[in-house]
Every structure is written in C-alpha cells, then in structure tokens.
Amino acid sequence: MLGSLYNLVFTDVSQFILFPIYFLTVCLATWMFANVITTTLSRCLASCPIDGKERVFFVAVVLGLLLLSGSGIIIQFNHDWGRFDVFNFILCLLAYQAIMRWSAVSGLLCAIALSSASIVVHEAAFFWLAPFTIGFWLWTHRPTPVRVGTALAACALLAGITWAVSSATYSDYVDYDTAAAAVRDRADFPIREDSLAVQFRSFEENFAYTAERVLVDLLPVGLALGLIYLLVYVSFVRSLAAPEDRFWSLGMVIWLLACFAPLALLVLGHDHGRWIGMINCNLALVMLAQLTRRPERLARLPWGVIYSFLLMVVIQVALGPMGKTRLFPDAAFWELVAQIAG
C-alpha cells in the first residue's frame, strides 16, 4: 500500500525515501504500544496499597519488559521492515483504545472501520484485526445473543470487503514481465523476483507454493516452537485472570479463538513467522485488557508467575524476532538443530 501511494506522487522508487518512512512507522508503533503499556501499568500502581507499591513497581517493570521484548511484536517490526504488519498493528492499537474507552455502538463502528482499513492495507488482515477486534468487543460488552448476531453481521461485512479487495490482482491490469521491467527501471535497488511474483499468483497457486515449502528450513520444528511460545502466553493470560472472574467465560473463549485466527494464514502464505507474530500481538493486548479491567490483579500475582515473566524476557531476547519463512532465524540454537536433524 505504501509503495502504491508513493508511486502516485513520485516517478522513481528510492530506498532513501522509503526507508525513513518505514523507520518512522516502526517508531510510531513502538511509541503507541509503549504508551498503552505504561498507561495500563500506571493504573495498576495507582490501585495498589502504599505499602505494596515497591513490589508492584517491580512486577510492572518485568511485565513491561515482557511485552516490549515479545518476539512477534516490536523486535519483529524492526527485523522485517516495510511489511503491512506494522501498519495494521497501529490500526489494531487504535481499535483497542476505541473499544476500551467508547460505548458499545461507537466502539463497534470504529472496530469495523479500522478493520476495513486494515484489509485495504492487506487482505490477510481479515484473519487478524477483524476477529481480534470483534472478539475484544464481545469480551468487553458481554456476548448477549443480540451482540453475537451483530458481531457475526460485522464479520460478514468484513468478509465481503476482503473478497472485493482480494478479487482484484495486478494480473488484471498488467502482465508479470511488463511489471517486472517497469519496477527494475524505476527502483534504485535490486528487485527480488519472488517478492514480485507473489503479487501475480492466484489463490490456488499461492496455496500450492506454500505447501511445497512447508518442509523447507526445518519449518515443522520452528512451527512447533512457535506454538509452544504462544501457549506460554496463553498461560500468562490465564495467570492474570482475577479469581472473581470466570476465565473460561463465553466472551473470553470467543476472544482467544479469535486471537488465533491468523493460524489460517499458515496454509495461505509461507511467511509463517509473521502469522505467529500477529498472534503474539493479540495475546499481549489481551493481557493489557485484563489488567485494565482488574488493575489490582497485578499486586496479587504469585512470585512464581513473576519469575516466569522474567525468564520469558530472557528467552525472548535469546530467540530474537519471529522472522519470515523460518521462525526465530536469529536464534543460535538452529545450528545445533540442523546438525542433529542432518
């Protein structure tokens, strides 16, 4: 999307213009996410008794580090510049704030509008923002039959928008060879043929291409590790649930299932690290939403949970970003895994 808008204004595609834009976008996403974290944790500090503030402050710092060091969030955006993920994460944060602060009707309308915008950025967002925001809205305002029906209608509307956006492809307007030649002439940097070719594949061709590459670069091992990583975050979500709340309520079950909707992209595109990263973003916001509803919960966390947060910070730093086709590409242990497997 950014490249398309840029092409409307400039005749040449220059990395010296695009890179600063990408950098500023990542900075904006980082600032917005950090702002949501600090605002939420400040409320937790304000809700705790004076004699327990030192402990809560320590827990808040650890939790903040946990979320900011998430392998699929900020460090992923810094690792993989220029993707639609960072733009849609910004829209996700805006929708999160709107649903949290506004009325049920206003929050839902804003969620639909921002989800529609994210689908225009990239149709894969139908499996990210759309389910996450609708699930969050149901959890926030309780899933009554009327609201569930409204949510389904909203999902149907967003599905229609996704179909309309995805039905139009570059091949409808120009053939691959012509487009490749035009891009090479206008760009001042090398063009990756596979990155351009994906824009011209049909749904069936992209599915087949993904199936062919599913075993490349020890991907099953990486996916197993990524899913274990996400289950750890689910356990963190569970630990933040207050005893007086029913964790496995209908609203929470719907929302957690919605958080894992990007798993559908595993068979539609081979950038598997990015799809797992989207779920990491979702679960991080679930944790913050729980603390917003019950800020006093932070002061009641057992030390075992707190130390597990701290351990996860170390693990996330060691694993590095989620990556693209191979999960955690910067993790040093991959060399050992390759030797064992080979």
Side-chain angles (χ1 to χ4, degrees), residues 94-95 97-114 137 141:
L94 292 174
Q97 296 279 41
I99 295 171
M100 185 70 71
R101 299 182 180 186
W102 295 356
S103 66
V105 174
S106 298
L108 179 61
L109 291 176
C110 186
I112 294 173
L114 291 173
W137 179 78
H141 300 287

Side-chain angles (χ1 to χ4, degrees), residues 56 67 72 173 226 275 336:
V56 175
L67 298 177
Y173 306 98
W275 317 145
L336 177 61

